[in-house]
Each structure stands twice: as C-alpha cells, then as structure tokens.
Amino acid sequence: HDLTRRKKRMRIAEGVMEASFDPELTMTCKGIVESANHAAEELFGWSKGELIGQNIKCLFPSDITNDPKTLQKFIQDHLGERQEITACCKQTGKDVPIELGLTRIETGYEEDRNEDETIYCLFMHDLTRRKKSDAEKLKRRKIAEGVMEASFDPEFTFTSEGIFQTANHAAEELFGWEKGELIGKSVGILFGDTNDWQLNGFVETHLNQRSETMAYKYDGSEVPVELGLTEIKTVGDEK
C-alpha cells in the first residue's frame, strides 16, 4: 500500500515536472542525470534518452570537471539559492545564460537513508531573452547618450521630481557647472529661485514648445536661452 502511494506521488511529480515551461531535471549525488523534462530538451539540445545517464558536467563544463570536488562545490554553491550561471547547449556549443535553483530530496526511509538515495532537482530559467533585451536597452541608451553629448547645444534630462539625471558638455560650457556637480540637483538652480521655484508651472509653460526664457549660470549671472522641453516615458508611468 505504501509502495502504491509512493508510485502515485512519483507519477504526479513527473507530470508536474513535464508540464513546466522551464527546464527541470534531477540528478544523483554523483551528478548522474535521472530525469529531464521537455523544456530541458528544447533548451539544451539533448533528447531525454541522450541526457539521462549523462554526468551533469555535460551541461556545466565550465563549473564541473572529472574531479568530484567540483561537483560538490557546484552543489554547495547553488543549493537553496537562485543564481545566474551559464550552461552549455549541445546543438550550438554556445553558453546559455540561465537562472539556476537547486534543491535536495531524500528518497529513502529516514531510518535507513543513505547518500545514494539523495536526489537533487535543478530548476532553470532561460535568461537569453532578458539578456538580449538588456543589451538592446543598453545599446539604445549609449546611442542616446552619444547623440546628446555630440550636440552643440546644451541638453539635459531630469526626473518627474525635477532632479537632473544627465547633462552634456555644451551644458557645462554654457552654465559653468560640471556634470558631476549638476546631476542630482534641482532644475530650479538653472531656471528659478531654488526656494520658491515650481516644477509643475515650469513644465506646463515649456512642454512641447520652444520659448525664450532666462537661465542662471554657476556664478549667478543670467543668460537668455531658447528652451524646448519634451516628455519621455520610460518604465510604466515613470517620466
């Protein structure tokens, strides 16, 4: 009866594992793969028949070698943690960025349990898309910063709270502030008295149009400028 219940639980666990959209597999304490789901086949390019019986080092060759100590270190480093790591795809031979979670399951009865009955479950999430998206965002940001820096006219960006985030070289030249001094300060230091300057009124007056106004240099002197202000939405409703 106990054996029947255990088999039923195993079938349920195997079904849940197979239904997961993320790669999952199990291995013995010696690093031998015992089971893998379809998502693992898709990501790593191994069929289940090929993967089962292999040493886990075939997926993590940069972390695990023939030295058993490297497997133990791998387990210790990742047990109970979710960490970014690279795995190897059989089809391409290229590294695949993943998030890895590792848990331990004791399969034997407590009174006669031994190390050989310890199973480790590896839960993985493919980070390829996220890494590609992050790289694209970084590329676009670098391009925007390059275009801004190349402008002959002063340019700034500031948050919805009116705090400077970026400034170009032309802005340093005109206003006498260095970027490091300006970033983090209120827009009011250039366009109004810092005590009673109102951000909302400033935005409403200048948004989506070009208008003449007075600005203040580092030394307190005034300079007439033509100001254009545009709104950029970044993440969610952040401006």
Side-chain angles (χ1 to χ4, degrees), residues 11 24 43 48 69 107 110 113 124-125 134 150 171 180 191 199-200 218 222:
R11 291 196 193 99
E24 296 182 10
L43 179 61
K48 290 182 185 179
K69 292 180 180 178
T107 59
E110 187 172 353
R113 186 176 295 158
M124 294 160 281
H125 180 69
D134 290 345
F191 298 104
L199 175 64
N200 290 338
Y218 180 79
E222 290 185 317

Side-chain angles (χ1 to χ4, degrees), residues 21-226:
F21 293 113
D22 285 327
E24 296 182 10
L25 53 85
T26 62
M27 69 176 185
T28 68
C29 62
K30 295 180 180 178
I32 304 303
V33 177
E34 286 205 329
S35 63
N37 66 356
H38 180 67
E41 293 181 297
E42 290 288 310
L43 179 61
F44 298 116
W46 294 78
S47 69
K48 290 182 185 179
E50 293 174 316
L51 197 54
I52 292 172
Q54 290 275 356
N55 192 290
I56 197 69
K57 70 181 181 183
C58 68
L59 299 183
F60 304 101
S62 60
D63 295 278
I64 305 171
T65 67
N66 291 327
D67 185 350
K69 292 180 180 178
T70 60
L71 173 63
Q72 295 307 311
K73 184 178 186 306
F74 179 84
I75 292 172
Q76 291 170 7
D77 288 347
H78 299 288
L79 189 62
E81 302 284 342
R82 295 186 69 89
Q83 299 176 10
E84 291 188 14
I85 191 175
T86 56
C88 182
C89 175
K90 179 190 176 186
Q91 288 178 330
T92 64
K94 294 181 178 179
D95 286 340
V96 180
I98 64 169
E99 184 179 46
L100 172 68
L102 184 65
T103 60
R104 178 172 54 211
I105 299 175
E106 306 293 353
T107 59
Y109 291 106
E110 187 172 353
E111 58 271 16
D112 59 358
R113 186 176 295 158
N114 59 65
E115 189 180 85
D116 290 338
E117 292 175 321
T118 299
I119 294 294
Y120 293 95
C121 293
L122 289 81
F123 304 92
M124 294 160 281
H125 180 69
D126 185 6
L127 299 178
T128 303
R129 288 185 179 179
R130 196 185 84 184
K131 293 290 186 181
K132 185 176 180 180
S133 175
D134 290 345
E136 286 295 325
K137 289 176 183 177
L138 178 61
K139 180 180 177 180
R140 289 196 297 269
R141 182 169 65 84
K142 291 292 185 182
I143 291 173
E145 290 174 352
V147 171
M148 179 178 177
E149 189 59 38
S151 174
F152 293 114
D153 291 324
E155 293 186 9
F156 308 92
T157 62
F158 61 88
T159 68
S160 56
E161 289 79 31
I163 304 301
F164 281 120
Q165 283 194 321
T166 60
N168 67 355
H169 180 67
E172 291 182 301
E173 290 290 307
L174 178 61
F175 296 107
W177 291 83
E178 293 184 2
K179 292 180 187 179
E181 296 174 316
L182 199 56
I183 293 171
K185 288 185 169 59
S186 168
V187 179
I189 65 172
L190 295 187
F191 298 104
D193 187 292
T194 55
N195 294 320
D196 58 15
W197 181 78
Q198 296 295 316
L199 175 64
N200 290 338
F202 176 79
V203 172
E204 290 172 4
T205 300
H206 299 289
L207 187 62
N208 296 325
Q209 57 184 313
R210 299 183 71 87
S211 54
E212 292 186 8
T213 188
M214 298 300 293
Y216 295 88
K217 293 186 177 185
Y218 180 79
D219 61 10
S221 61
E222 290 185 317
V223 57
V225 298
E226 184 180 43

Side-chain angles (χ1 to χ4, degrees), residues 7-19 35 37:
K7 287 182 176 179
K8 182 178 180 179
R9 288 198 297 269
M10 285 177 63
R11 291 196 193 99
I12 292 173
E14 288 170 357
V16 171
M17 178 178 175
E18 187 59 37
S35 63
N37 66 356

